[in-house]
């Protein structure tokens, strides 16, 4: 699924990263706990989170996650968006809750698989 | 090559900057992406620990074509029970840190999982020194 389709599916607002609109994303990870993102994410995914602080952008950058979606209508402040722009990332804000945002992406064809096996 | 960073214990918004810079330096050197990610995760977790628990400190990253050795030294309260601290889910972090997306007891296990060698020397009341070694894989197979 392309980043532009993620924006459309989530009725989202793209805050930065227009050049990534045609990038293909296969999997997603929804988490507010950044250590879990670091523990479980393996492949390139879209990160959905309600955690609006610089650590969410930094964690995504360190994990090579290029697309971050802020759920529950959260809008990251300008300095965070600027950091994402510098890192070459796309940032999307959606009014949907974490549950609904994940549900809509799943329904649209995004699956798991970007994380290591959880036993 | 050696990079040295002073990690602030007062400004959480800066936490992770040193790790980001090391990640970029390794990228410029053409180190394999898997090793870069393992380095990034291990160092970032150690850097967060240093900010959350250690009151800041000094991070040194020393790298050669074969490996990176990261040393993180703080003068914080130290770790009383290292075996307990290594357990997934065990944390002494305060509630406000959890609200920042950390402090769930995943840091040390994440570091162990991602590094080739993890050494923790800690003395209660004196501080903690964490040493992380990541070995780069060489093109053509195997590790250096």
């Amino acid at each position: 699924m392309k980043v532009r389709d993620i924006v459309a599916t989530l009725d989202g607002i793209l805050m930065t990263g227009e050049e990534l609109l045609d990038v293909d994303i296969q999997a997603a990870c929804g988490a507010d706990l950044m250590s879990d993102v670091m523990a479980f994410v393996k492949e390139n995914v879209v990160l959905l989170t309600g955690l609006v602080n610089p650590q969410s952008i930094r964690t995504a950058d360190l994990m090579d996650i290029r697309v971050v979606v802020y759920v529950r209508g959260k809008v990251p402040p300008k300095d965070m968006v600027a950091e994402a722009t510098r890192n070459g990332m796309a940032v999307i804000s959606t009014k949907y809750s974490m549950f609904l945002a994940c549900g809509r992406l799943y329904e649209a064809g995004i699956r798991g698989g970007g994380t290591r096996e959880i036993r | 090559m050696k990079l040295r960073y002073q990690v602030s214990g007062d400004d959480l918004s800066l936490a992770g900057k040193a790790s980001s810079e090391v990640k970029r330096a390794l990228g410029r050197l053409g180190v394999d992406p898997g090793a870069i990610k393992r380095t990034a995760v291990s160092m970032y977790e150690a850097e967060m620990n240093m900010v959350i628990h250690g009151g800041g400190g000094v991070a040194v990253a020393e790298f050669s074509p074969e490996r990176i050795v990261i040393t993180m030294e703080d003068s914080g309260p130290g770790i009383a029970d290292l075996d307990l601290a290594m357990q997934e889910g065990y944390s002494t972090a305060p509630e406000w840190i959890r609200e920042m997306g950390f402090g769930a007891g995943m840091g040390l296990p994440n570091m162990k999982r991602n590094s080739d060698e993890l050494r923790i020397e800690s003395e209660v009341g004196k501080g903690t020194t964490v040493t992380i070694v990541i070995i780069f894989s060489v093109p053509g197979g195997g590790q250096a």
Side-chain angles (χ1 to χ4, degrees):
Chain A
M1 183 183 231
K2 291 196 157 106
V3 174
R4 69 170 70 248
D5 300 325
I6 294 176
V7 178
T9 303
L10 297 177
D11 298 325
I13 301 164
L14 183 75
M15 319 267 317
T16 185
E18 271 190 30
E19 69 283 5
L20 298 182
L21 282 173
D22 286 316
V23 168
D24 204 35
I25 300 284
Q26 304 288 335
C29 167
D32 284 354
L33 190 59
M34 294 301 108
S35 279
D36 270 354
V37 174
M38 287 194 278
F40 297 112
V41 170
K42 253 178 23 186
E43 291 156 38
N44 213 349
V45 299
V46 49
L47 171 66
L48 295 100
T49 186
L51 184 79
V52 184
N53 67 22
Q55 267 68 42
S56 55
I57 293 289
R58 228 157 274 159
T59 303
D61 179 45
L62 289 166
M63 295 302 292
D64 297 326
I65 294 171
R66 297 176 75 195
V67 186
V68 180
V69 176
Y70 291 100
V71 298
R72 305 192 281 271
K74 298 195 176 184
V75 178
K78 274 186 189 161
D79 55 339
M80 270 174 63
V81 176
E83 185 164 342
T85 306
R86 278 196 302 276
N87 295 342
M89 293 160 61
V91 172
I92 299 162
S93 174
T94 177
K95 282 192 203 143
Y96 291 111
S97 66
M98 177 70 96
F99 176 72
L100 288 178
C102 291
R104 289 180 78 92
L105 288 182
Y106 191 89
E107 209 169 49
I110 292 230
R111 293 291 180 264
T115 56
R116 78 179 164 87
E117 196 187 343
I118 299 165
R119 283 188 289 268
Chain B
M1 190 167 159
K2 200 171 182 173
L3 297 171
R4 190 176 185 278
Y5 302 92
Q6 193 73 44
V7 177
S8 166
D10 303 321
D11 192 350
L12 204 65
S13 73
L14 295 176
K17 286 247 175 199
S19 306
S20 296
E21 285 183 31
V22 167
K23 179 183 186 237
R24 292 200 203 302
L26 293 181
R28 282 193 297 272
L29 290 172
V31 171
D32 74 283
I36 294 182
K37 201 177 271 188
R38 291 194 297 121
T39 305
V41 170
S42 311
M43 184 170 174
Y44 188 30
E45 289 284 13
E47 193 177 345
M48 289 306 295
N49 275 346
M50 186 179 242
V51 173
I52 295 166
H53 302 285
V58 175
V60 176
E62 204 168 356
F63 38 97
S64 67
E66 295 84 29
R67 62 171 60 203
I68 181 165
V69 179
I70 298 158
T71 313
M72 318 277 291
E73 193 176 352
D74 70 56
S75 308
I79 302 168
D81 188 335
L82 198 53
D83 287 338
L84 201 54
M86 288 304 296
Q87 279 179 27
E88 218 163 81
Y90 177 81
S91 176
T92 57
E95 192 54 37
W96 67 273
I97 292 295
R98 290 171 207 237
E99 283 161 17
M100 298 292 291
F102 285 86
M106 299 295 284
L108 290 174
N110 270 356
M111 284 153 65
K112 192 167 176 61
R113 190 179 302 119
N114 283 285
S115 59
D116 291 302
E117 199 183 323
L118 176 67
R119 281 196 304 272
I120 301 170
E121 290 151 79
S122 188
E123 199 176 329
V124 174
K126 293 237 166 121
T128 302
T129 301
V130 174
T131 308
I132 299 159
V133 180
I134 312 272
I135 297 166
F136 306 147
S137 45
V138 233
Q143 290 190 322

